Structures are given as C-alpha cells and as structure tokens.
Amino acid sequence: MACYILTTKKRDQRLFRKILTDPHIFETPRELLLAIRSNKRGPILIIDLEIRGHEKIGFQTAELVKKNNPNAQIILLAEDSRLANYCFEYQVGVLDFIIKNDRDLTFQKRLLRAIEKAQYNLHKIFYTKPIFVRFPNGTRSILVDLTHIIYISCEKGTHHLILHEHDRITKIRATLKTVVPLHKDICQIHSSFAINLNYLKDYQPKKKIITLSTGNALPVSRRYASEVRMHTTRFTQPPSKDENPNFKRND
C-alpha cells in the first residue's frame, strides 16, 4: 500500500525510499493535498511537522487532510518532543507521533509498526464483513452496520444518542442502557460514552483516558475501568500475517 510522505529533508527522503516499498514523497503541502484528493478510501500519510523551518505547517496540513478525508491514517514525525502537545490543539486524530532523534533501527521499526497499524485500520474500515444491528430510535428502529460505528455519545440535555462513524454522525432517540446490550463489541466506558471495541487502541488507567485507532480520546469513569482494562489486551493487538492472509506488511 502506498505511503504519502511530506518532508523537505533529503536524508529522510533517502531513508523512506530505502525502507518503504511504495513511497510517494512531496516537499510542499499543496502537492501532497492534490495527490491524495482522489483517494477516497483513506491514504496513509507520514508528515514531517517542520517544513522549511516552520514547525506548525505539518499540523495544519494534517488538519486539512482529516477535514477532507476522515479515514486518513496520519503518522507525524518531529525532532522536538514538545510539539506533541499541539496534537490536542489541532485535533487531527494522529495514529502515531514519532520523534526523529536518530535514524537507527528503533526509529525504523516503530515507523513500520505504525504503517502496519494504519493498514490494519483501513482493512477494518473497508473490508470487514458488515455486522448489522437494529438500534432503537424512539418508537421505531434503524438497521446499522456496527463495523462503521466508532463510538456512541449522549447528547447533553436530551434523550438522544449520537452514533459517530468515519464520515458522518447519526442521531437516534435512545439511551446507552438500551443499546449497549445489543452486541458484545459495544462497551460502555462512561455515563456519556460507549465505544466499538474493535477501534480500541490504548488505555491509560492513570489518566482515565482511552484512545481509539481513529485518534479520538475519550474519558473512562471508575465504574467501567475494570471492564475496559479487561478488553484492552484483546483488542489492541493487530493480527499477524498468519491470522489475516489479506494483510500485508511493508517489510
């Protein structure tokens, strides 16, 4: 699978051509954005935050990418770890943030793991067999493909829920109490949130936060912490090549 790369550093460009099978390298955000404009299925992007001395151009580019293609899998590279704080400011849903302190094998292995995870995420989004679940909606019901639901939130002050998908949201008249038991992959993590366990990426017990593979970060309340912890190991590991013959690595 092709990787779209934004960097002006020649040394990095040489490295990417060496370790990746199909790198598409660009030196300006405009060139990158034009190249992925027709990619509707979710490109994998590696974006160097610093472009020609400007530290935030990478964030701004990632923000534009996500706005036009919510399925995009974005890996950010930086030489200054302090730039990671801006990930929350720009809300770009980053898959990984990698510090380029050196170009040793540790950096290369982490980059390849991030690309592998991106491929796995896109596989789940587009090739997973649909799971149709009938959700209540007031006095009626609607048929929903659960594989497209990332998480569910309560609309404050109402009796409505918001179903968050990759490219849209749907409002239904229901409560978490009624929808959580509908399928084993729906897990309540808070009085206001439930997630699709297949999108669970990471759980930080001390911060009481989970991160989804789409980059969304959601709070976990104490009441549901033990259940989230139980599911973390099961759902955060991508399958091996033997477990998923359709999945290819960029080795």
Side-chain angles (χ1 to χ4, degrees):
M1 185 178 291
C3 290
Y4 297 85
I5 302 165
L6 175 63
T7 182
T8 56
K9 299 178 178 64
K10 301 301 181 184
R11 183 181 178 185
D12 288 349
Q13 293 177 7
R14 289 193 296 271
L15 175 65
F16 294 138
R17 290 191 177 100
K18 178 181 178 182
I19 67 174
L20 303 180
T21 57
D22 192 14
H24 296 253
I25 298 174
F26 305 90
E27 294 196 353
T28 69
R30 176 180 171 79
E31 292 173 341
L32 175 69
L33 293 170
L34 287 174
I36 66 172
R37 185 169 56 181
S38 61
N39 188 327
K40 302 301 182 184
R41 299 193 68 79
I44 298 175
L45 297 101
I46 301 171
I47 298 177
D48 191 342
L49 289 181
E50 185 178 336
I51 302 296
R52 305 191 191 283
H54 298 282
E55 290 183 338
K56 295 186 179 181
I57 285 183
F59 282 118
Q60 294 164 356
T61 304
E63 189 176 32
L64 287 172
V65 169
K66 275 292 189 179
K67 186 175 182 180
N68 293 308
N69 195 328
N71 294 324
Q73 304 292 305
I74 299 176
I75 302 164
L76 297 182
L77 306 180
E79 295 181 359
D80 186 348
S81 61
R82 291 174 297 181
L83 292 176
N85 296 327
Y86 291 105
C87 289
F88 295 98
E89 177 182 333
Y90 283 89
Q91 291 291 306
V92 293
V94 176
L95 176 67
D96 203 352
F97 187 101
I98 305 176
I99 303 302
K100 301 186 300 176
N101 290 330
D102 48 47
R103 308 300 188 275
D104 64 7
L105 288 177
T106 301
F107 168 77
Q108 296 180 31
K109 287 180 179 178
R110 178 164 177 180
L111 180 63
L112 291 174
R113 282 199 305 269
I115 293 171
E116 178 178 321
K117 180 63 177 177
Q119 292 176 322
Y120 176 58
N121 289 345
L122 293 174
H123 178 87
K124 286 201 300 184
I125 294 169
F126 295 111
Y127 301 107
T128 302
K129 184 178 179 180
I131 301 173
F132 291 108
V133 178
R134 192 164 290 281
F135 276 61
N137 186 18
T139 58
R140 301 183 178 182
S141 63
I142 59 171
L143 196 61
V144 176
D145 182 356
L146 184 61
T147 62
H148 291 172
I149 304 298
I150 303 167
Y151 69 96
I152 304 168
S153 64
C154 297
E155 186 180 59
K156 190 174 182 180
T158 73
H159 296 288
H160 290 96
L161 297 178
I162 307 296
L163 309 181
H164 297 260
E165 301 183 42
H166 289 275
D167 55 356
R168 67 175 182 175
I169 61 173
T170 301
K171 182 188 294 188
I172 62 173
R173 186 171 179 82
T175 64
L176 288 179
K177 184 178 180 180
T178 58
V179 302
V180 169
L182 294 177
H183 197 277
K184 61 182 177 58
D185 288 346
I186 304 174
C187 177
Q188 187 162 358
I189 62 169
H190 188 274
S191 60
S192 299
F193 296 100
I195 64 168
N196 182 340
L197 284 168
N198 290 290
Y199 290 97
L200 177 58
K201 176 186 175 185
D202 183 49
Y203 173 44
Q204 301 177 63
K206 291 183 179 180
K207 294 184 178 181
K208 297 182 176 62
I209 290 175
I210 64 160
T211 304
L212 305 180
S213 58
T214 54
N216 302 98
L218 299 173
V220 177
S221 65
R222 182 180 300 177
R223 179 180 177 181
Y224 302 102
S226 60
E227 185 175 358
V228 172
R229 190 179 295 108
M230 178 183 68
H231 289 298
T232 301
T233 303
R234 177 186 169 196
F235 284 89
T236 54
Q237 297 299 322
S240 67
K241 289 189 289 184
D242 294 334
E243 293 170 330
N244 186 353
N246 296 319
F247 183 68
K248 297 180 180 179
R249 292 183 56 170
N250 281 332
D251 289 338

